[in-house]
Amino acid sequence: MSDYRDSALKDFTKFYFKTGRLDYQGKATDDLSFRVRLAFNKDATTGVDSTQTAVEYAFLTHKMSDMFSLSVGKVNSDIGGFEGATSGADLYLTSQFYTLKGPNGDLATRAATAAGTGHNIGTTDLLYMTGVKGTFTFADQNITLLATDEATPVRASGVAAEQNSSLMGAIWRGAFMDKAFMTNLSYHTMNGPADGDKHQLMAAGVMWNANPWMFSADYLMSEFKEDASGDKDTVTSIVAKFAYSGWEKWTPRLEFQTSEEKIEIGGTATNKFIGYGAVLEYKPYTDTNFRYHLAYNNVKEEPETGDDITSQEIVLGARLMADFLK
C-alpha cells in the first residue's frame, strides 16, 4: 500500500510479486561453474546483449588459480555498495541513487528518455550487465575488474546493434576481524550520449556484522558531465541500516537514507530527499529459509521550488527460498 501527498503519483493498494526468480547453478568441472537466473516478474524486453530483461544472470566462471577467476556472460556489476549487493527481496527503503525515483516519480536527472531529458543513471540501470569480469582473491580481499556493454537507456550513440563502447568498473571488497568488519569500494565509468560526455558512479560502504548486531552505511554518487558545457548533473545518497538478530524468530531493522539531486545542465536546481523505514521479519521455522515481513517507509522530497512531497508505504508479505529440485 502506497500513499502520496502533493505528488503526481496516485495512491494504490495491490497484491504483487516483488521478487520472483528461478535460479540454477552447477559445475561442468571442479574449476568451471555456471549460473542462470530468470526473474518471472520482469518483462521480455531485449537489450543490447540480445537477452531479455528477465534474464538476470547467464554466465560461466573459470577458476584459473586459487587467486583468480574469470566470468563471462551476464553478471552482477557490483555497483551501489552494500545497498546494491543486497538481494531485491530484502530491500524495502531504497535510495535515490538506487532507483532515481522519488515521491513525485522519476528524478529530473533520470536516464535519457525519448524527449531527451535527464542524464543520470543508477543501480537499477546497471545491476545486471553482459561482459567479462575478473576477480582476484587473497586474504579475505576481493578485487574485481569488469568491462560490459553500455547501459541500454544511455548508449553512447546509435541503436542497440551499434553498441560501440563499454561500462568499465573496479571494485574492492575487504573483510577484517574474522569477517565481522567489511568494506565495499567501487568506481564505474561509461561514455555518455555525445562524444566527450561521461558517466561516473562511485560507492564507499562499511558494514559491522557480528551477531546479534548489524550496521551498514554507504555513500553513493552518480555524476553525468556534459562535455559541450562542462556542466554536471549529480545524485548523491547516504544509506544506513541497523538490525538486531538476537531473537530466535524475530529480526527488527531500522533504515535511513538521505539524497540530493543537483542539476546544472539546462538550468540549476537542488532537490533533497530524506527517508526512514522500520522492518520486522518473522521466521517461524529455524531449518527453512522462509519468513513473513512487515515494513513501513516514509520519504519526503524537498524540491528547490514548490511544496514538499511525501510518500508512505506499508509492505506486508512473505518470502521463501528453497530447492525445488529435491
Side-chain angles (χ1 to χ4, degrees), residues 12-326:
F12 66 85
T13 301
K14 66 179 180 179
F15 294 97
Y16 74 108
F17 281 93
K18 179 183 177 183
T19 307
R21 293 165 172 163
L22 297 175
D23 195 349
Y24 182 66
Q25 303 178 53
K27 284 189 173 184
T29 69
D30 288 342
D31 296 327
L32 189 62
S33 60
F34 57 87
R35 183 176 184 182
V36 176
R37 190 171 81 186
L38 307 177
F40 57 78
N41 62 325
K42 292 185 177 181
D43 62 35
T45 303
T46 302
V48 171
D49 59 4
S50 300
T51 66
Q52 297 178 355
T53 304
V55 180
E56 294 181 336
Y57 289 143
F59 66 89
L60 59 85
T61 298
H62 184 193
K63 184 179 180 182
M64 296 183 173
S65 70
D66 290 338
M67 294 183 61
F68 180 75
S69 62
L70 182 70
S71 297
V72 180
K74 197 165 188 177
V75 298
N76 193 298
S77 66
D78 298 321
I79 195 170
F82 287 108
E83 182 187 44
T86 302
S87 168
D90 297 324
L91 287 173
Y92 302 99
L93 177 70
T94 52
S95 70
Q96 273 61 58
F97 177 94
Y98 192 93
T99 62
L100 291 177
K101 295 179 183 294
N104 203 37
D106 284 351
L107 273 59
T109 56
R110 187 71 172 90
T113 66
T117 59
H119 299 97
N120 282 99
I121 50 179
T123 302
T124 53
D125 298 310
L126 302 170
L127 193 54
Y128 308 111
M129 303 293 289
T130 299
V132 60
K133 180 177 179 179
T135 300
F136 299 87
T137 304
F138 53 92
D140 293 330
Q141 312 293 306
N142 292 322
I143 296 177
T144 299
L145 303 176
L146 66 86
T148 73
D149 290 336
E150 302 166 339
T152 299
V154 285
R155 283 187 296 274
S157 62
V159 297
E162 299 170 351
Q163 198 278 152
N164 60 3
S165 68
S166 295
L167 168 76
M168 310 293 289
I171 305 96
W172 170 57
R173 290 179 173 174
F176 309 90
M177 303 173 62
D178 293 328
K179 300 184 179 180
F181 179 71
M182 291 175 281
T183 58
N184 191 328
L185 301 177
S186 66
Y187 173 81
H188 294 73
T189 184
M190 185 178 73
N191 291 337
D195 187 36
D197 292 352
K198 185 70 69 176
H199 292 277
Q200 297 186 91
L201 299 102
M202 288 161 272
V206 294
M207 176 183 287
W208 174 262
N209 192 4
N211 283 333
W213 307 101
M214 189 286 294
F215 171 78
S216 67
D218 286 314
Y219 175 80
L220 312 165
M221 186 181 76
S222 172
E223 176 189 281
F224 172 78
K225 183 176 181 181
E226 185 179 60
D227 183 63
S229 65
D231 293 335
K232 300 176 183 178
D233 283 350
T234 60
V235 176
T236 57
S237 295
I238 296 174
V239 180
K241 299 182 181 183
F242 175 81
Y244 177 77
S245 58
W247 298 326
E248 182 178 355
K249 295 184 178 182
W250 300 89
T251 302
R253 184 161 72 246
L254 298 176
E255 303 182 340
F256 171 83
Q257 74 90 13
T258 179
S259 300
E260 181 180 88
E261 175 190 36
K262 187 174 182 181
I263 303 168
E264 293 182 356
I265 300 172
T268 59
T270 299
N271 304 311
K272 297 182 179 181
F273 306 81
I274 187 168
Y276 59 87
V279 182
L280 184 62
E281 297 178 342
Y282 170 63
K283 296 182 179 180
Y285 310 110
T286 58
D287 58 349
T288 302
N289 198 343
F290 171 74
R291 71 153 193 258
Y292 293 102
H293 52 260
L294 175 64
Y296 170 78
N297 298 324
N298 184 294
V299 181
K300 180 172 69 173
E301 179 176 348
E302 301 174 348
E304 182 159 303
T305 59
D307 296 332
D308 291 350
I309 305 164
T310 61
S311 67
Q312 296 185 83
E313 182 182 43
I314 297 175
V315 179
L316 176 63
R319 184 196 184 199
L320 171 66
M321 181 181 290
D323 186 352
F324 292 98
L325 298 180
K326 282 186 176 180

